[in-house]
């Protein structure tokens, strides 16, 4: 149940972020390539952030959850900013896609965030499960 409830919250948060991102970037009439970059970035931060916050909350409490979510958000936004600062934009304001620069400047950080998020989520599930088992054994 702990895994299912956590995954459900992650999916719900990620879906909501995706819908809001799509509608706002389209309403602001961003270039389609920027809309795509914004959507990818938002979804990446949303799922990893939700998993990390849920896992940290279950393992260590609210303060750790808030701090870990904030650090992850800054970390992910920095990696995209660094990519855009290094690669830049096209002459028409579109996002310049450079696979080699993405592999060097963004993907390693996204993978690190994913590994940490999944690890902390799993640890939070195990730690919460142990607490529930101990509480049941004592009652």
């Amino acid at each position: 149940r702990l895994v299912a409830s956590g995954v459900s919250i992650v999916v719900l948060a990620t879906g909501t972020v995706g819908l809001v991102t799509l509608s706002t970037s389209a309403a602001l009439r961003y270039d389609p390539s920027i809309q795509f970059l914004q959507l990818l970035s938002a979804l990446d931060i949303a799922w990893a952030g939700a998993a990390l916050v849920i896992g940290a909350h279950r393992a260590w409490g609210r303060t750790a959850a808030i701090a870990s979510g904030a650090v992850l958000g800054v970390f992910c936004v920095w990696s995209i900013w660094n990519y855009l600062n290094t690669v830049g934009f096209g002459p028409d304001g579109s996002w310049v896609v450079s696979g080699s620069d993405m592999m060097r400047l963004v993907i390693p950080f996204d993978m690190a965030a994913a590994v940490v998020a999944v690890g902390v989520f799993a640890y939070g599930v195990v730690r919460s499960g142990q607490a529930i088992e101990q509480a049941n054994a004592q009652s």
Side-chain angles (χ1 to χ4, degrees):
R1 280 199 234 170
L2 290 172
V3 173
S5 67
V7 169
S8 297
I9 294 168
V10 169
V11 168
L12 182 63
T14 304
T16 302
V17 166
L19 289 173
V20 170
T21 301
L22 281 174
S23 61
T24 55
S25 62
L28 293 170
R29 297 181 185 195
Y30 287 158
D31 182 84
S33 67
I34 295 294
Q35 290 181 31
F36 183 68
L37 173 64
Q38 187 178 25
L39 179 64
L40 286 178
S41 300
L43 292 176
D44 181 45
I45 294 168
W47 87 260
L52 185 64
V53 167
I54 291 166
H57 187 269
R58 289 179 174 172
W60 303 293
R62 181 177 296 198
T63 304
I66 292 169
S68 63
V71 168
L72 180 82
V74 168
F75 184 69
C76 289
V77 169
W78 173 83
S79 75
I80 293 297
W81 171 85
N82 187 39
Y83 173 83
L84 291 173
N85 189 47
T86 302
V87 176
F89 294 94
D92 59 349
S94 63
W95 169 42
V96 175
V97 180
S98 168
S100 61
D101 288 322
M102 286 289 285
M103 291 301 293
R104 185 173 55 89
L105 300 170
V106 178
I107 302 299
F109 297 104
D110 285 353
M111 295 304 296
V115 168
V116 169
V118 170
V120 171
F121 180 84
Y123 181 72
V125 167
V126 170
R127 181 111 183 224
S128 283
Q130 289 172 348
I132 290 170
E133 287 175 16
Q134 289 174 355
N136 288 340
Q138 294 174 357
S139 46

